[in-house]
Amino acid sequence: MSKTYYDPADLRKFGNITEWNEELGNKFFEYYGKVFEEGALTAREKSLIALAVAHTEQCPYCIDAYTKDGLQKGVTKEEMMEAIHVGAAIKSGATLVHGVQMMNKVNKLDG
Amino acid sequence: MTKVKTQSLQKKGSDLAQSNRQLEILSNGIFKSGELPTFKDKISETSQFPLKAKKLEILQINVGYMCNQVCDHCHVDAGPDRKEIMTRETMRQCLDVIKNSGAHTLDLTGGAPEMNPDFRWFVEEAAKVGIKDFIVRSNLTIIRANKKYYDLPEFFKKHNVHVVSSMPHWTKGKTDKQRGDGVFAKSIKALQELNAVGYGMPGSALKLDLVYNPSGAFLPGDQAAMEKDFKKALMEDFGIEFHNLFAITNLPIARFLDFLIASENYEDYMYQLVEAYNPSAVTNVMCTNTLSISWDGYLFDCDFNQMLELPVNSKSKHISKFNEELLEGRNIVISQHCYGCTAGAGSSCQGVVA
Ligand code: SF4
Ligand code: SF4
């Protein structure tokens, strides 16, 4: 098999980032863990947000991780797909809203 | 897409129907190469090897492997084609043990225990002994499978049986995928009928608990959160009540192992189990206070070891030679499937243990 930039097995090694900078690595994981604890949002809601962001960020590790996390929390495939559409809508909306900038510029330059 | 499920691995003549083939898989590969530690090595890290049986509290009797369903994940490899059924004679021997043992809980399982022709007789006799908690693991659909089972809710009530039933999800799609077409609708109807006679109602002494186990190669989520979601959905959609939800991890044996291998999830799943290993769950794993009895009267540390044909490490090996003193303190027989009991908050037939 040809080498690729992403190896699914690397996700298991995520924790190893602390080896080269323990203090910052630990601080990150502590923060990360805290963020996903049940709070004003349920752990299930957070998992769906994470899944949507994983897609907009197009991070294959995060997509694997939060698909599995969602399944563990009883999230259905319909809910997962809807969450991704929310991410996609914001992504496309964010692209299209810049169309106004383009229009402003055209109007300014080309009267 | 859902599918009609029909045959056990045994009937299909699958390699994995053989317990020694399963044990081989669990000992080889990533565990043999040292990529992952064996369960023995893992529990040795915290000086918990050998795992020892404490005082007997729960007698779990498997009255036969026949079942009206053929669920994907079934660790029993149960199905309509399984012919292993406990005889009345063995049941009599079990009753003697129930009368004389210190166990406070009797737990009948299968297959579908109700399919054993002597099931009702056994329940009636066992109920007379006056054991504190008398559990029957009912798959729900059996109640709707045939007219002769329609009165089961009343029968359970009459004998004050504690009903524990599997429910993989609160939606039809996920339930039928795992357990077969039509299972969800039948299970809902059965739960409503159990509710109608008083089972699972708030404050009711007729206990109705649900068992949740994941529909695929992932671990169960937090038991309390899942219970909340199940309660909300079953109440809103169907007006159903139940008491507790037990979240159970799928152990990598029998049909679940077959699925893991066929779907190329085996290694990843074993990694998940080992990474989620929780040493404090080891103290309370089910085998430390439970004894499992097979349809033919042999004794095992748990229902999983029964399916792997790993008998108890004791001179008292059969119900006819049952000796509680000899069994107490025995070394539990372990292999890598045990990681399923120690992942996260732990897992047992009563849900989390840590
Ligand atoms: S999981 Fe339970 S209901 Fe399903 S086939 Fe196995 S014994 Fe039957
Ligand atoms: S699989 Fe059985 S023997 Fe192993 S830890 Fe779990 S209950 Fe004990």
Side-chain angles (χ1 to χ4, degrees), chain A residues 34-85:
Chain A
K34 200 84 201 146
V35 165
F36 280 94
E37 275 175 15
E38 191 110 4
L41 295 176
T42 63
R44 197 171 190 276
E45 288 162 340
K46 290 182 187 189
S47 180
L48 276 167
I49 296 172
L51 183 72
V53 178
H55 281 77
T56 59
E57 291 298 310
Q58 297 177 339
C59 168
Y61 300 119
C62 307
I63 292 171
D64 271 9
Y66 284 94
T67 301
K68 192 186 278 172
D69 188 68
L71 287 170
Q72 289 182 353
K73 292 184 165 67
V75 174
T76 62
K77 24 184 195 188
E78 292 78 12
E79 289 171 313
M80 288 191 200
M81 189 53 92
E82 256 181 54
I84 292 171
H85 275 291

Side-chain angles (χ1 to χ4, degrees), chain B residues 253-270:
Chain B
I253 68 168
R255 288 214 285 269
F256 191 65
L257 179 61
D258 180 59
F259 155 75
L260 288 176
I261 292 170
S263 59
E264 296 183 0
N265 277 307
Y266 171 72
E267 288 195 3
D268 188 53
Y269 191 73
M270 296 314 285

